[in-house]
Amino acid sequence: MTRHAICTAVLAGTVALLGVGGGMPTGLIHADPPARQQHARQRPAAGKSRGKIVRVAASEAGDQADEPPRATKGGPRSPAKLSPDEESQALIGLSRDDVLPPAVEQHMIDLPTALQLAEAANPTIALGRQAISEAVALQLGARGMMLPTLNAGTTYHLHQGALQSSFGQIRDLTEQSIYIGGGARTLAAETVAIPAVRIFGHLGDAYFAPLAAGQIVCARSADAIAIDNETLLLVVQKYMELAMAEASLDAIHRGEDSMQMIVLATAAFAKTGQGREGDFNRARADALLLHAEEQDLQEQVAVTSAELSRVLHLDPSIRLRTLPGALEMVQLVDPDHSIETLVEMAQVARPELAARTAEIAAAEYRVRQEVTRPLLPVVSVGFSGGAFGGGGNFNPRQSFFQTFGGRTDFDVTAVWSLQNLGFGNSAIQKRTRAERDQAIAARGRMSNRIGREVGDAFAKSESRRRQVGIAQQRLRSAVDGAREELERTRGGEGLPIEALNSVRLLGEAGMALVEAIGGYDLAQFELFVAVGQTPHAALPDPNKSFTDDGTP
C-alpha cells in the first residue's frame, strides 16, 4: 500500500465542497474495490512466500467539473466567493510550519541498508563477536596444553664463605660455576631446574579442557548470532516506527488540506447567511485540533529518526528519511503453521537454546575432568643441553675454570595428588556438578522464554492481521460516508459543516490503516526472529529475481 494512496480518499472529494474559490468543485470521493492481495517480489521465508501487499487508493475525480450545482427546493445555494484577504483571515494559525529547524543533512535510507549499517558499526554486535575471538583463544590454549615449552638461558653461580658438605663438615669455600645453553639454573649435581624443552600438565586437564573449550566456542558463536538477531530486530522496529510516523504525517497533511477546504466553505456560507458563524468556528476549531496533531507528528518523526540514528550509531545531526513508496503488508511466516509447530521450530533453530546446550556440555566435561583428577597424574618431562663448568679453592692445583664442557639432562616425573585427603577433590567435584545443574536450569528457563516469545509474537501477529482487515473495512465505510455527505452538500441538500465529521473520520481511518499495516509487519518480523530466523533472511536477495507469486 503506497503511503500516499492510503489517504488519497481524504482529499479526493474534499474539493467537492460548495463555493470554495467561487464555483462548483470538480469531483467526488470514490473508493477502489476491496483491497486485493498479491505476493511481493521477495524471497520466501519460513515455508511461505513473503510480501503480500495490501493497497488502498481512491480513484481520480469524476468528470463533473462543469456540472451545475443541484440545489433542492429551499436548500442552501452556492455561497459567494471569498476574497484572498478573507481566506487568509479564515486560515490564521493553520499554515503548515516546520516544528524543528531543518537538519544540516538529510539522507534517505531503506531497510537493507539500515541492517548493513547496524552489522558494520553497532558496538553490541561487535562485543558479541569479540567474545567468540576470546573463546577461540582459550580453546587454542587448551589444545596446546601438552605441547612443549622451550627455554634457553644461562646461570652463573658464585659462593664465598662457610659451606656444609654432605657429610656434615663445615668448610670455608669459594666456588663458582656457569651454565650456558638450553634451560637455566644448574647448581652442583642438581639437574637443570628450568629445562630447555619441558612438557608439564595434568593428563585429565590435557584431555578434557580442550573439549570444554570447544563447547564454549560454540556457545559464544550462538550467543553472537542471538545478539545479531536482537539488535537487527531493534533496527527493524525503529525503521518501521519511522516509516509509520512519516506515513501518518503524510496522511494528516491531506486531512489538514481537507479541513481547510471545509473551513473556507463554512466561512463562505456564513458570509452569505446560508450558514451560521458557529459552523465556521466549529470547523476552524477542528482544523486547529488537527493542526496540533500534525505538529506532534512532526516531533514524532524527528524523534524516531534520531532513535534510528542512535541504533545505527550515526551522527544524530543527520536526519534520516525512509524511501517513498509502498508500505507493504508482508507475510514472513506461513499462516498455516500452528503455534505448536512454531514453538517446535523455535526450540530447534533458536541460537540462544543452542548456546545453553553447549554450556551444559562444557560443564559436563568439567565434571568428568575433576572426577578423574585424583586418578591421573601431573606429568613433567624435561630435556636440557648446554655447556657447564666451574671450580673452587678446595684444590689449590685446580684452576678456577679448569673443568668446562658439555652436559645434557633428561627428566620424567609423574605425580598423583589427593587434595586434603580427598575432601578437596570432593568439594571441587560437587561445585562442578552444581555448575552443570545450573546450566541445565538455565536451558530450561531459556526454553520457556522462547515458547513465551513465540506465543506472544504469534498472538500479536494474528491480532494485527485482524486489525488490518477491520481498518480496511473502516476506511471503505468512511469513504462511503464521506462521499454521501459530500454529494448532499454538492447537491445543495446540506451544509458543509455536515460533512466535517465524515471527513475527520475518513482521515482517522486512513491513519488507522497505516498503523495496522505497520504493526502487522513489525509483528511478523518479531515472529520471524522468534522462530530462529535472522532479519536478513526476510529481505529479498538482490541477485535473484522472483515472479509475482514469489517463486524464483
Side-chain angles (χ1 to χ4, degrees), residues 216-395:
I216 294 300
V217 171
C218 295
R220 296 298 169 263
S221 299
D223 282 335
I225 296 175
I227 292 174
D228 280 7
N229 291 346
E230 182 179 354
T231 304
L232 296 180
L233 181 60
L234 179 61
V235 172
V236 171
Q237 177 184 355
K238 298 304 179 183
Y239 181 88
M240 291 300 302
E241 289 177 357
L242 178 58
M244 292 166 60
E246 291 177 348
S248 297
L249 185 60
D250 289 342
I252 207 170
H253 282 165
R254 283 151 180 77
E256 278 194 301
D257 293 339
S258 301
M259 283 294 186
Q260 290 181 14
M261 301 291 279
I262 294 181
V263 169
L264 294 177
T266 54
F269 270 74
K271 178 180 177 180
T272 60
Q274 299 183 61
R276 299 185 304 114
E277 187 72 20
D279 293 343
F280 163 71
N281 291 330
R282 176 187 169 190
R284 178 174 165 77
D286 273 10
L288 288 171
L289 179 61
L290 187 63
H291 187 61
E293 295 177 4
E294 187 268 346
Q295 301 285 287
D296 291 339
L297 271 176
Q298 285 194 44
E299 175 189 352
Q300 184 178 346
V301 168
V303 170
T304 52
S305 175
E307 280 293 303
L308 181 58
S309 296
R310 179 186 64 81
V311 173
L312 298 179
H313 288 267
L314 300 178
D315 186 352
S317 65
I318 298 176
R319 188 74 55 80
L320 297 178
R321 298 293 303 271
T322 61
L323 293 178
L327 180 62
E328 301 175 355
M329 182 178 173
V330 298
Q331 185 72 48
L332 302 180
V333 180
D334 191 341
D336 295 332
H337 284 325
S338 65
I339 181 63
E340 292 80 9
T341 301
L342 294 175
V343 171
E344 291 177 359
M345 293 169 57
Q347 297 291 341
V348 174
R350 281 290 289 266
E352 296 93 335
L353 207 58
R356 305 291 83 76
T357 301
E359 289 176 352
I360 293 174
E364 182 63 34
Y365 283 129
R366 295 191 190 101
V367 171
R368 296 168 62 183
Q369 179 179 345
E370 294 304 325
V371 169
T372 59
R373 186 173 298 280
L375 306 177
L376 299 175
V378 175
V379 176
S380 176
V381 179
F383 173 81
S384 303
F388 180 73
N393 63 357
F394 54 86
N395 186 354

Side-chain angles (χ1 to χ4, degrees), residues 1-2 4-9 30-33 35 55-59 475 479 513:
M1 175 193 55
T2 60
H4 301 294
I6 293 176
C7 292
T8 303
H30 296 281
D32 282 343
R55 302 181 184 273
V56 179
S59 63
L475 182 60
V479 168
L513 185 56

